[in-house]
Amino acid sequence: MNSQASTVSRNPAGAPPAAHSGHQAAAASGNHCGHQQRASIRYLHGNDWVSLCLDCWRRQRSNVVPRGLQPISRPAGAVATYPEAGYPVASWQDGWTTERGFSRGVPHPRPRRVMLYSHDTFGLGHLRRNLAIARQLLAMPGRFEVLLLTGSPMQDSWPLPPGLTVRALPPVVKLGDEHYGPRDHAKNFALLKGHREALILEAALSFRPDVFLVDHAPIGMGGELLPTLALLQEDYPDTRLVLGMRDIIDAPAATRQVWQEQGIHDILERVYDRVLVYGREDWFDVVASYEIPEPVARKIRYCGYVCNDPSPESIAPALPPVLSGRQRVLITVGGGGDGACIIEAYLQALREHGGFGCQSLIVPGPLMDPTERARLEAMAAECQDTHFIDGATDMLPLMGECSLVIAMAGYNTSSEILSLGCKAILVPRARPRAEQRLRSEMLARFGLVDRVDPDGDLVEQLGRLVPHALDIEDRHRTPFPLEGAARVAEELLALCPRSEAMLEA
């Protein structure tokens, strides 16, 4: 059976799954195995699309790819294949040895292999969180080898921890809630998604991870992880499958609806070994908020907030001198893809209030549209002591230099603000998810930050809040100890097979 996993769906009885152009008839009646209420995998069999539930897909596949099948040996750097299944896979022994520096014949205990998956459909948050975890894993000498799969378009220009291997996935963008498209609009999304699925399968078969840590999306972007999860569970049962999720995903009702439609509770119960929550139970209870059933709740571990430490690989940007007695205000909008309105509102408030008596440092983000950036730089040129800052891949040192931070309410930025204990005004993204709005409301309720209503008048609110924030004492005088990355590393080490032998080595 030459197959390419294409689409995942969880259809109500009698409802047809989403059709694929040219192959609608084969899937019109739902899953061919008759299990309509289970998460399913659709694949191309000959010229027809076939849809099977996860269990039936495993049984079908086991008749084609015998358990323990090894790829055909090829010269160094070549591609090995599983001829019976039609899977092209880079050979672990030949294709990865030079790049990863991993040689044959390494005696046990060997470093545990951790594969990280980050779908990265918008912004920098998922990439930054996975890099924080990877840096912590690699800081434990001899314990881990780490491979990161990421769809971020910034992975080539971001500072990476030494020893990390990165495999790029073709980038996609989020067009709406659970709706994605290619970042390069000239490409066909179905082909791009199939390419991503094949790359993820190839990485899993080549790297053979001891732990597969999936960030945020239990079945991946558009279900692209389901073939890999099924393959690892069937052929490599020692691989531990772990979901790592931020505490606030979206409005609880919206999250529950999406999880019900995609059969996520079923996937978490039958496929995943552990669920790591990057948050605090006393701040946001994911079990209650998302109505997680008891069998899944037993797998949950709260690790606290994952925060980046200052990176030795990053280059600090050159800052303009500040006049004596003036305070610095930092404005940062993450990747910058949708942050222009915040910078524009701040610049308007700055002009209306005579510059707030401060120096303003603006980090537009690497994903901001060049035309938008040029327009904002022209506005900033009319404001006193206002500067655009480039190359700030590590925001912690820059935040530490400033009296006030104005930022969006993304997970990573909020965690960094808490870790430093600095004064902050959060301007949350309003749509398509309610995640940032809920996070900013929670932190403001605890008295840790000020917040702006994203549906209100941003100029008026910033004009009122900035002078007040500059005048008061620090919001919280001591930073929060955010050790989530270290807790994640401990959890993964404990899950790894033969972890006791490693600790003794």
Side-chain angles (χ1 to χ4, degrees):
M1 177 180 68
N2 293 327
S3 65
Q4 178 187 354
S6 167
T7 277
V8 61
S9 59
R10 190 174 189 270
N11 305 306
H20 287 255
S21 176
H23 302 284
Q24 299 182 16
S29 60
N31 288 348
H32 287 69
C33 58
H35 300 137
Q36 305 299 324
Q37 298 296 324
R38 300 182 185 177
S40 62
I41 293 176
R42 300 184 67 200
Y43 59 89
L44 189 62
H45 178 64
N47 293 321
D48 296 319
W49 287 97
V50 177
S51 180
L52 297 177
C53 76
L54 208 56
D55 291 333
C56 292
W57 183 83
R58 289 196 191 99
R59 286 194 289 271
Q60 176 84 331
R61 184 182 166 279
S62 67
N63 294 329
V64 178
V65 185
R67 192 177 183 86
L69 178 67
Q70 297 298 315
I72 296 174
S73 178
R74 292 286 188 269
V79 173
T81 62
Y82 291 84
E84 296 88 341
Y87 292 136
V89 180
S91 169
W92 164 259
Q93 289 84 357
D94 296 328
W96 289 53
T97 300
T98 301
E99 177 184 352
R100 300 180 63 258
F102 192 85
S103 59
R104 304 180 192 179
V106 176
H108 288 289
R110 61 164 174 79
R112 301 297 92 177
R113 299 177 191 141
V114 176
M115 186 166 76
L116 309 176
Y117 163 84
S118 179
H119 69 305
D120 294 292
T121 59
F122 192 79
L124 300 171
H126 298 289
L127 175 64
R128 293 174 63 201
R129 184 163 58 247
N130 278 278
L131 289 179
I133 293 170
R135 184 171 285 109
Q136 182 66 43
L137 295 173
L138 292 167
M140 304 171 70
R143 291 291 189 261
F144 294 103
E145 295 181 62
V146 184
L147 168 66
L148 171 62
L149 307 177
T150 174
S152 172
M154 297 304 300
Q155 55 93 13
D156 285 334
S157 57
W158 213 256
L160 304 177
L164 175 66
T165 300
V166 177
R167 290 280 177 169
L169 303 174
V172 297
V173 325
K174 192 175 184 114
L175 303 176
D177 197 22
E178 300 302 316
H179 182 209
Y180 306 95
R183 187 172 289 272
D184 181 353
H185 298 295
K187 294 184 177 179
N188 179 283
F189 180 65
L191 293 177
L192 181 146
K193 180 173 177 287
H195 187 198
R196 285 174 60 110
E197 290 179 353
L199 290 173
I200 297 167
L201 273 169
E202 174 188 354
L205 284 165
S206 300
F207 192 61
R208 297 184 186 179
D210 296 293
V211 177
F212 184 23
L213 177 59
V214 174
D215 180 66
H216 175 66
I219 60 176
M221 186 277 300
E224 66 183 357
L225 282 187
L226 279 172
T228 297
L229 292 172
L231 180 142
L232 289 173
Q233 196 176 37
E234 176 69 16
D235 282 3
Y236 302 101
D238 287 340
T239 296
R240 301 296 181 252
L241 303 176
V242 182
L243 174 68
M245 54 179 279
R246 63 177 187 250
D247 50 357
I248 302 175
I249 299 173
D250 197 350
T255 300
R256 291 194 297 267
Q257 180 179 347
V258 170
W259 281 18
Q260 181 179 9
E261 292 171 353
Q262 296 181 347
I264 297 301
H265 287 158
D266 182 50
I267 291 289
L268 294 180
E269 181 175 349
R270 296 192 300 116
V271 175
Y272 280 94
D273 299 294
R274 185 79 79 237
V275 178
L276 304 182
V277 176
Y278 305 148
R280 293 172 44 155
E281 185 176 10
D282 57 337
W283 283 18
F284 191 90
D285 185 344
V286 300
V287 173
S289 297
Y290 305 138
E291 297 181 356
I292 294 176
E294 178 59 26
V296 179
R298 290 196 297 267
K299 301 180 180 183
I300 289 177
R301 304 291 184 272
Y302 288 86
C303 295
Y305 287 90
V306 174
C307 183
N308 294 281
D309 292 323
S311 169
E313 299 88 27
S314 63
I315 300 175
L319 300 182
V322 61
L323 297 177
S324 177
R326 291 176 72 86
Q327 299 184 77
R328 275 180 170 152
V329 176
L330 173 66
I331 301 90
T332 174
V333 290
D338 60 349
C341 62
I342 297 173
I343 296 176
E344 181 175 9
Y346 176 79
L347 292 173
Q348 290 181 11
L350 201 64
R351 287 190 298 191
E352 292 179 8
H353 293 80
F356 296 128
C358 69
Q359 181 183 81
S360 301
L361 305 179
I362 299 174
V363 182
L367 301 178
M368 180 171 287
D369 179 78
T371 303
E372 284 289 329
R373 172 171 174 146
R375 182 178 65 83
L376 294 173
E377 284 185 316
M379 289 182 61
E382 301 175 1
C383 301
Q384 183 182 11
D385 207 4
T386 300
H387 311 269
F388 270 63
I389 304 297
D390 282 321
T393 56
D394 186 353
M395 297 301 298
L396 283 169
L398 193 52
M399 287 180 177
E401 293 283 339
C402 298
S403 302
L404 172 66
V405 177
I406 300 174
M408 300 180 77
Y411 178 95
N412 294 278
T413 299
S414 299
S415 297
E416 290 169 347
I417 288 169
L418 292 177
S419 74
L420 293 174
C422 56
K423 293 184 290 185
I425 299 173
L426 297 184
V427 187
R429 178 184 295 130
R431 281 163 286 275
R433 295 185 185 274
E435 170 219 346
Q436 292 198 8
R437 185 192 294 269
L438 293 175
R439 181 176 298 110
S440 66
E441 289 174 351
M442 178 182 72
L443 297 180
R445 186 168 63 251
F446 294 155
L448 302 175
V449 301
D450 287 314
R451 72 176 295 273
V452 164
D453 179 0
D455 293 325
D457 186 333
L458 298 186
V459 178
E460 184 278 327
Q461 293 178 84
L462 289 173
R464 174 169 43 84
L465 290 174
V466 171
H468 174 70
L470 289 173
D471 286 343
I472 63 173
E473 295 294 327
D474 286 351
R475 180 70 57 186
H476 53 284
R477 294 172 177 77
T478 57
F480 280 88
L482 303 183
E483 301 174 345
R487 290 284 302 278
V488 171
E490 293 171 2
E491 288 285 346
L492 298 188
L493 188 61
L495 278 172
C496 284
R498 299 181 296 277
S499 59
E500 296 82 1
M502 290 179 57
L503 292 171
E504 295 170 359

